[in-house]
């Protein structure tokens, strides 16, 4: 089996959509996790250091980061309302609809738990807030992708 050609790659973020300060903070976090300033990676590995990750306004990025919580709260409010109305009107079909809403709610909670546990690294909350304010919709996901780039999968 032939060995892959390796190339040295500096552990850093040079995202043109982020401020110099955000790139500096992200680079610092990357280097803490990777443990080096430069790593050898296969030459054919895609280089995502300069990818644009800030694709949203700060407000939209914040909304994206809490989208699952908002959806879950919405499902809970809808279920509670339906149950209250069902009890007040003695309607079994409204209670049935509320029960049916349990299925996507349970699936959403399970998906969220699996997603949280699949992310190996988490950014410092202040760095995540900075990236979110600059338009990064899911700072932890971006961070994990960059960590995998330097560590391998």
């Amino acid at each position: 089996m032939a060995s892959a050609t390796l190339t040295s790659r500096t552990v850093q973020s040079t995202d043109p959509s982020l401020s110099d300060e955000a790139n500096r903070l992200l680079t610092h976090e990357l280097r803490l996790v990777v443990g080096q300033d430069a790593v050898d990676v296969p030459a054919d590995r895609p280089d995502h250091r300069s990818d644009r990750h800030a694709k949203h306004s700060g407000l939209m990025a914040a909304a994206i980061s809490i989208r699952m919580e908002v959806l879950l709260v919405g499902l809970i409010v809808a279920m509670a309302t339906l149950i209250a109305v069902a009890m007040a009107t003695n309607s079994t079909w409204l209670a049935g609809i509320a029960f049916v809403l349990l299925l996507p709610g349970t699936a959403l909670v399970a998906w969220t738990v699996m997603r949280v546990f699949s992310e190996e690294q988490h950014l410092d909350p202040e760095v995540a807030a900075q990236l979110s304010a600059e338009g990064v919709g899911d700072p932890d996901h971006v961070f994990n992708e960059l960590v995998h780039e330097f560590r391998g999968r």
Side-chain angles (χ1 to χ4, degrees), residues 31-48:
R31 289 179 177 173
L32 284 175
V33 170
V34 174
Q36 301 177 64
D37 292 344
V39 295
D40 291 331
V41 297
D44 61 348
R45 180 175 291 171
D47 186 350
H48 298 288

Side-chain angles (χ1 to χ4, degrees), residues 72-152:
L72 191 57
V73 167
L75 283 170
I76 290 169
V77 168
M79 285 176 18
T81 303
L82 284 170
I83 289 170
V85 172
M87 290 175 69
T89 62
N90 202 21
S91 172
T92 55
W93 68 273
L94 284 177
I97 293 173
F99 180 74
V100 168
L101 288 177
L102 279 174
L103 299 173
T106 303
L108 182 62
V109 168
W111 180 83
T112 302
V113 168
M114 290 187 328
R115 184 168 171 254
V116 166
F117 283 112
S118 70
E119 288 183 344
E120 299 166 6
Q121 303 294 329
H122 296 281
L123 275 170
D124 177 272
E126 291 179 13
V127 177
Q130 172 83 25
L131 295 180
S132 183
E134 292 193 21
V136 177
D138 192 345
D140 274 343
H141 178 74
V142 169
F143 182 61
N144 275 285
E145 287 296 313
L146 289 169
V147 167
H148 284 299
E149 178 176 334
F150 296 115
R151 276 194 177 165

